[in-house]
């Protein structure tokens, strides 16, 4: 019997460039990493080194020129666009720096979106959304619009939206950058508590050294490549 692979996401020598007038900017120059099931992996590195590009490649929203990306054993290169979109909706939850909530929808409506996209009825989706919002301490804010919530509360709505359909991969791009240190800490506590599971994987891109302590492993990028790996976040304390 085959033992299941502990690798959730495998990025192998990926090259991605963007047209830039007459020249090309190489955002990824042979980036490789592995993210394991059950871990909270952080990706750090200077501005412009390719972190967001790498996340977009893993999500299948950006095509790449060379290399391979496999998510839960599915080679993205071999999948058609429609299949990648479906795969993403089923398997990936996103959390962004600016929360990306829809301003004209209430908290509960925002959180319902991933379920509605999967074909769940509005009534069922909203019931489930309320349950998740209650878990993150927002039971009294179901009907609030994003503009009526604090930054930390908006990020908790965004986390609820990322987790409501129980995705196996949670991708976060600078989730604490717009938060003060207390809210940033709470956001990571919540993610650790609700998203880190043996059958899941959480990947967080961050500049925020205050949250390194939550990482199981940190990979460091520079100039389009992964250049280092640390099991002990304190090894990066100088960063
Ligand atoms: N759509 C695009 N068109 C052209 N160039 C791009 C595009 N997206 C990214 N780049 C370039 O690719 C490089 C990597 O960008 P990326 O956004 O991945 O960096 P980053 O590490 O996320 O930086 P930051 O920490 O500032 O968010 C940069 O030089 C950027 O200018
Ligand atoms: Mg970025």
């Amino acid at each position: 019997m085959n033992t299941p692979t502990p690798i959730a996401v495998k990025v192998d020598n990926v090259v991605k460039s963007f047209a830039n007038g007459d020249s090309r900017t190489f955002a990824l120059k042979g980036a490789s990493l592995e993210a394991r099931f059950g871990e909270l992996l952080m990706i750090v590195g200077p501005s412009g080194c390719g972190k967001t590009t790498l996340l977009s490649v893993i999500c299948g929203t950006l095509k790449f020129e060379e290399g391979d990306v496999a998510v839960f054993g599915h080679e993205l290169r071999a999948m058609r666009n429609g299949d990648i979109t479906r795969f993403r909706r089923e398997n990936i939850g996103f959390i962004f720096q600016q929360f990306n909530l829809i301003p004209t929808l209430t908290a509960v409506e925002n959180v319902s979106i991933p379920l509605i996209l999967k074909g769940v009825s509005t009534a069922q989706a909203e019931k489930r959304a309320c349950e998740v919002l209650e878990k993150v301490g927002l039971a009294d804010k179901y009907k609030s619009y994003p503009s009526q919530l604090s930054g930390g509360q908006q990020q908790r709505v965004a986390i609820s939206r990322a987790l409501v359909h129980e995705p196996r991969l949670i991708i976060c791009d600078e989730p604490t950058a717009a938060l003060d240190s207390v809210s940033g800490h709470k956001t990571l506590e919540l993610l650790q508590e609700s998203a880190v599971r043996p059958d899941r994987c959480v990947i967080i891109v961050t500049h925020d050294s205050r949250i390194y302590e939550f990482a199981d492993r940190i990979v460091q990028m520079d100039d389009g490549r992964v250049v280092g790996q640390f099991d002990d976040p304190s090894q990066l304390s100088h960063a």
Side-chain angles (χ1 to χ4, degrees):
M1 205 174 82
N2 289 336
T3 44
T5 167
I7 303 303
V9 176
K10 187 170 167 60
V11 177
D12 191 16
N13 254 310
V14 166
V15 175
K16 168 70 194 172
S17 67
F18 297 99
N20 193 359
D22 291 340
S23 63
R24 298 197 77 78
T25 301
F26 280 82
L28 298 177
K29 303 178 178 174
S32 299
L33 70 74
E34 289 180 350
R36 302 167 190 152
F37 280 106
E39 81 174 347
L40 190 157
L41 178 74
M42 283 189 193
I43 302 175
V44 305
S47 178
C49 74
K51 303 181 299 296
T52 296
T53 306
L54 183 62
L55 291 185
S56 305
V57 158
I58 292 171
C59 298
T61 49
L62 258 190
K63 299 272 179 212
F64 46 96
E65 290 109 270
E66 286 177 39
D68 286 303
V69 177
V71 181
F72 308 129
H74 296 260
E75 288 284 349
L76 298 189
R77 230 180 221 299
M79 291 168 78
R80 286 185 309 222
N81 286 344
D83 293 336
I84 291 181
T85 304
R86 255 190 308 280
F87 182 75
R88 189 164 50 240
R89 281 184 187 162
E90 291 282 327
N91 291 290
I92 306 181
F94 303 91
I95 299 166
F96 303 96
Q97 171 177 356
Q98 296 300 341
F99 323 134
N100 286 17
L101 298 175
I102 298 179
T104 53
L105 299 183
T106 62
V108 82
E109 288 165 344
N110 266 287
V111 175
S112 301
I113 294 170
L115 293 173
I116 289 171
L117 287 174
K118 273 177 79 172
V120 175
S121 72
T122 305
Q124 280 296 324
E126 292 195 353
K127 184 164 173 279
R128 172 80 188 120
C130 287
E131 288 165 7
V132 179
L133 282 168
E134 190 183 350
K135 276 199 193 132
V136 303
L138 291 177
D140 55 339
K141 303 287 183 187
Y142 294 158
K143 299 218 167 124
S144 299
Y145 290 92
S147 62
Q148 299 170 318
L149 299 170
S150 71
Q153 289 168 340
Q154 289 182 56
Q155 193 58 303
R156 276 187 273 160
V157 175
I159 290 174
S160 304
R161 183 183 57 185
L163 297 177
V164 72
H165 57 310
E166 310 211 317
R168 289 188 288 166
L169 175 61
I170 292 99
I171 297 264
C172 315
D173 197 356
E174 307 273 4
T176 61
L179 300 177
D180 61 64
S181 84
V182 173
S183 306
H185 221 262
K186 280 192 182 151
T187 295
L188 261 290
E189 273 172 5
L190 188 60
L191 269 173
Q192 201 171 47
E193 194 181 290
S194 48
V196 178
R197 299 272 185 279
D199 59 343
R200 291 187 181 177
C201 172
V202 182
I203 301 179
I204 300 179
V205 157
T206 187
H207 279 117
D208 186 353
S209 57
R210 297 170 305 187
I211 63 169
Y212 288 174
E213 64 186 277
F214 290 92
D216 294 310
R217 207 154 53 89
I218 297 183
V219 299
Q220 190 165 28
M221 287 186 72
D222 194 19
D223 194 22
R225 293 184 186 89
V226 171
V227 294
Q229 211 188 116
F230 304 88
D231 288 323
D232 176 4
S234 67
Q235 291 175 291
L236 259 178
S237 53
H238 62 279

